[in-house]
C-alpha cells in the first residue's frame, strides 16, 4: 500500500510540474538574424542580413545581447526581454499568445523547422527571421 501511495504522489508531482523551462529552452541561445520584412504599406520590403553576423543572444537571465552590426530594430547593446504567454493587446478577454517582449515592444513568436520568427505584423510592423547559431 505504501508503494502505491508513493507511486501516486510521484506521478501527481511530476504531472503538476511547470514546463516553463522547456518553453524557455526554445529561445535561449544565440540566433543569427537572416532577414527582415517591413510590412508597412506597399506589401513589404525584405532586407537580407544573411551575409552579416548579427547575433541576438537570448540569455537565461532575461537579458538579450545584440552584436554584429546595424539592423532594422535593435542596435548593438543589451535589452531586457520576456518570453512566454501574455496578452498581445490591452484586452484581457483575448487569449494569451506566445510572445517575446523586448523592452516594451511585443513580438509574436514562431519556431518552425529551426527558423525563429518574431513579428509585429499585427500592427503593420516588421518581421524578423533568425537561424540558431
Amino acid at each position: 500500500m505504501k508503494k502505491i501511495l508513493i507511486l501516486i504522489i510521484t506521478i501527481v508531482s511530476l504531472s503538476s510540474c511547470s514546463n516553463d523551462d522547456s518553453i524557455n529552452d526554445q529561445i535561449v541561445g544565440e540566433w543569427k538574424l537572416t532577414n527582415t520584412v517591413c510590412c508597412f504599406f506597399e506589401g513589404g520590403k525584405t532586407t537580407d542580413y544573411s551575409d552579416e553576423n548579427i547575433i541576438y543572444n537570448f540569455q537565461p537571465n532575461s537579458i538579450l545581447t545584440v552584436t554584429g552590426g546595424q539592423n532594422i530594430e535593435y542596435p548593438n547593446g543589451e535589452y531586457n526581454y520576456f518570453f512566454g504567454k501574455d496578452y498581445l493587446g490591452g484586452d484581457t478577454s483575448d487569449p494569451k499568445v506566445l510572445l517575446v517582449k523586448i523592452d516594451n515592444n511585443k513580438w509574436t513568436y514562431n519556431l518552425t523547422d529551426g527558423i525563429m520568427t518574431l513579428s509585429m505584423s499585427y500592427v503593420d510592423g516588421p518581421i524578423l527571421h533568425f537561424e540558431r547559431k
Side-chain angles (χ1 to χ4, degrees), residues 2-133:
K2 278 184 167 179
K3 289 181 182 180
I4 292 175
L5 185 58
I6 291 172
L7 179 62
I8 291 172
I9 290 171
T10 303
I11 291 172
V12 169
S13 295
L14 290 175
S15 66
S16 66
C17 290
S18 171
N19 64 355
D20 287 346
D21 289 340
S22 63
I23 289 175
N24 285 335
D25 289 346
Q26 292 179 29
I27 197 168
V28 169
E30 293 186 345
W31 293 87
K32 180 179 179 183
L33 180 65
T34 56
N35 68 64
T36 62
V37 178
C38 291
C39 299
F40 300 115
F41 299 105
E42 298 175 13
K45 176 187 173 214
T46 300
T47 302
D48 184 5
Y49 291 104
S50 60
D51 290 337
E52 299 183 37
N53 198 29
I54 299 171
I55 305 299
Y56 281 54
N57 183 2
F58 292 90
Q59 300 169 34
N61 63 356
S62 297
I63 299 292
L64 165 63
T65 303
V66 179
T67 58
Q70 296 298 320
N71 64 87
I72 191 170
E73 283 306 313
Y74 297 99
N76 291 344
E78 289 189 348
Y79 305 88
N80 293 315
Y81 82 91
F82 163 82
F83 177 63
K85 289 194 174 184
D86 199 358
Y87 299 106
L88 194 54
D91 189 354
T92 57
S93 66
D94 289 338
K96 289 184 175 183
V97 297
L98 192 56
L99 56 81
V100 178
K101 187 162 78 170
I102 302 173
D103 286 342
N104 289 320
N105 297 319
K106 291 182 179 180
W107 300 83
T108 60
Y109 168 87
N110 186 22
L111 181 63
T112 304
D113 297 329
I115 304 297
M116 178 174 68
T117 303
L118 300 181
S119 175
M120 281 190 175
S121 62
Y122 65 97
V123 289
D124 289 333
I127 302 168
L128 312 177
H129 296 102
F130 299 88
E131 291 178 350
R132 191 175 289 276
K133 187 162 172 31

